[in-house]
Amino acid sequence: MRTLFVTHAAEFGGAERSLLEILQHLDRARVHPMLCSLAQGPLVDAARSAGVAAHVIPAPPDVLEATRGDLGLNPARAVQGVRRALAAQPVVRALARLAGQEHAALIYTNSAKAHILGGLAGHRAHIPALWHVRDYHAAKPARAFITTLARSLARTVICNSWFTAAPFRNHPDCRVVYNGLDPDAVRATGDPAALRRAFTLPDNALIAGTAGRLDPLKDIPTIIRAAARIAPEIPHAWFLIAGGALYYRASYLDELRGMARAAGVQDRVIFTGHRSDIYDLIALLHVYVQASREPESFGRSIVEAMLLEKPVAAAEHGGPLEIIEPGRTGVFFPPGDDKALARELSSLFSDPGRRAAMGAAGRARALERFTLDRVLRDVTDILCELGK
């Protein structure tokens, strides 16, 4: 089954890492993968290193810089939307031409922009498109726009959670395949004592933290405010914020540091910046925090933390509701409620036995439900079914 995988993003976020893992581990006897990215970046290089033919069709800035707010073509953005649609036409033609040249039987798309452009290319080339939807559009106009397009451009829609799938309930073929990870790859390999020294963490430090790109939607300010509540009560509580601002202005990290200074916890909140040793950092934590302001479609970092046997404190909405078993593998708090988050963290900090039990139960649940082997099996079966 010759399949052209299409992504607009070549920098690594959760969706791109999930795509790369599929490309690396697909059964090549059943599926012959090819990648087309609308930008050059590390994903393209990694795919080539895995033996996948990778093409780049550079999309113009008007296309790449479109945001979720631009979907739905509301009157205030209509002129901008038309301009972006016109700018995208050469990309659609190039994608359709590439799919034909590579004798692709199927186009698989991995992001909202790729869904639209790849779907149009498939329509033009008379090749069915499969959308693998990993995003939830919080704004109703954007959600309505993308689900309406799906009915005409996508033969099949795969969603990474039932939460993500809900808006596609009227699509004739919508399926749920939870994201999965390779348990053998999610492991800490560094020296925890050396990391503690590097961050000047005392031996008795209790550490909560999060990892991933610094996106305003991740609501790091709620974690900072919770730190300010906990610091006077637990002098040995520390907070680790791991990741860089991949898709946002570089000054966002400085803004967060300014918030920590204003809250009086600049010496208790550590911002690591971009790191390649994320699993080593998660392994340092006593509690993993996911505080997203808007509902996450899934929660890949939560599964990573569970595989590393960490209890999770998560905002109570979206995909995490399908991952975490409250009271058994983690706890929930209302989104944006730093007081509730501080209360949950203080409770977990004070009970090492409960933390250990949650960590063990979390790993068992991740191994049961969220593994890469299961994703590869389900996605391969769907691709082969559609390509018949």
Side-chain angles (χ1 to χ4, degrees):
M1 174 61 50
R2 294 181 67 84
T3 303
L4 181 63
F5 290 75
V6 181
T7 178
H8 85 275
E11 298 289 335
F12 278 119
E16 292 71 40
R17 292 192 184 281
S18 293
L19 172 59
L20 177 62
E21 288 162 352
I22 289 174
L23 291 172
Q24 288 172 325
H25 299 288
L26 273 172
D27 181 354
R28 303 290 175 89
R30 300 182 67 194
V31 178
H32 178 86
M34 302 160 285
L35 175 68
C36 182
S37 174
L38 305 186
Q40 181 65 54
L43 173 59
V44 175
D45 298 332
R48 288 172 177 159
S49 295
V52 177
H55 308 266
V56 177
I57 297 176
D62 263 354
V63 174
L64 292 179
E65 293 171 5
T67 66
R68 294 182 187 183
D70 295 320
L71 296 177
L73 298 180
N74 63 62
R77 299 187 178 180
V79 174
Q80 187 180 50
V82 170
R83 186 176 68 247
R84 285 181 167 145
L86 291 172
Q89 289 307 304
V91 178
V92 172
R93 290 194 293 270
L95 273 172
R97 187 163 55 250
L98 175 64
Q101 291 169 348
E102 294 290 348
H103 305 290
L106 188 67
I107 293 176
Y108 167 114
T109 61
N110 196 62
S111 58
K113 294 168 195 174
H115 298 331
I116 297 170
L117 299 178
L120 289 169
H123 182 75
R124 183 183 182 93
H126 306 289
I127 298 172
L130 178 152
W131 289 13
H132 199 149
V133 179
R134 306 178 189 276
D135 293 314
Y136 176 77
H137 299 277
K140 189 174 181 180
R143 201 161 59 244
F145 179 70
I146 202 76
T147 53
T148 298
L149 279 182
R151 287 196 291 273
S152 58
L153 297 182
R155 171 78 62 84
T156 295
V157 176
I158 297 176
C159 293
N160 61 357
S161 67
W162 290 104
F163 172 75
T164 308
F168 296 92
R169 59 187 175 276
N170 293 324
H171 192 279
D173 188 17
C174 178
R175 316 184 194 194
V176 172
V177 176
Y178 285 127
N179 286 350
L181 290 92
D182 178 359
D184 293 332
V186 182
R187 56 192 178 89
T189 58
D191 179 358
L195 273 177
R196 281 175 172 267
R197 288 194 299 272
F199 294 125
T200 62
L201 290 165
D203 291 340
N204 68 339
L206 291 168
I207 313 164
T210 193
R213 69 176 184 265
L214 297 184
D215 181 327
L217 297 179
K218 302 295 184 180
D219 201 9
I220 304 302
T222 288
I223 300 177
I224 293 172
R225 292 193 299 271
R229 290 182 178 276
I230 292 173
E233 302 173 6
I234 308 177
H236 50 291
W238 294 72
F239 295 80
L240 195 68
I241 312 297
L246 287 180
Y247 298 139
Y248 290 83
R249 61 190 187 279
S251 62
Y252 185 57
L253 178 55
D254 293 332
E255 291 177 26
L256 293 173
R257 286 187 172 122
M259 291 178 194
R261 283 194 300 273
V265 289
Q266 68 275 12
D267 58 340
R268 305 284 287 280
V269 179
I270 298 169
F271 294 94
T272 72
H274 177 72
R275 302 275 300 210
S276 59
D277 57 347
I278 290 297
Y279 295 153
D280 292 340
L281 297 181
I282 294 176
L284 280 183
L285 304 178
H286 294 87
V287 184
Y288 186 83
V289 181
Q290 194 263 40
S292 294
R293 183 174 65 210
E294 291 185 359
E296 293 270 2
S297 59
F298 181 68
R300 177 187 170 96
S301 65
I302 291 175
V303 177
E304 291 172 332
M306 289 165 63
L307 285 169
L308 290 165
E309 299 192 43
K310 303 301 171 182
V312 179
E316 193 172 12
H317 53 186
L321 295 174
E322 299 171 46
I323 302 174
I324 298 167
E325 293 180 280
R328 184 168 181 268
T329 67
V331 295
F332 287 113
F333 61 93
D337 190 337
D338 55 275
K339 184 177 181 180
L341 173 57
R343 184 169 59 247
E344 295 292 355
L345 291 178
S346 295
S347 175
L348 286 167
F349 279 161
S350 67
D351 193 339
R354 184 176 175 225
R355 292 198 309 268
M358 282 186 168
R363 180 172 172 82
R365 181 169 171 80
L367 291 173
E368 177 188 357
R369 304 195 65 181
F370 307 116
T371 62
L372 180 60
D373 284 346
R374 182 192 46 74
V375 174
L376 292 170
R377 182 191 66 237
D378 292 349
V379 169
T380 300
D381 286 348
I382 294 170
L383 291 175
C384 291
E385 174 191 335
L386 294 180
K388 287 181 181 178

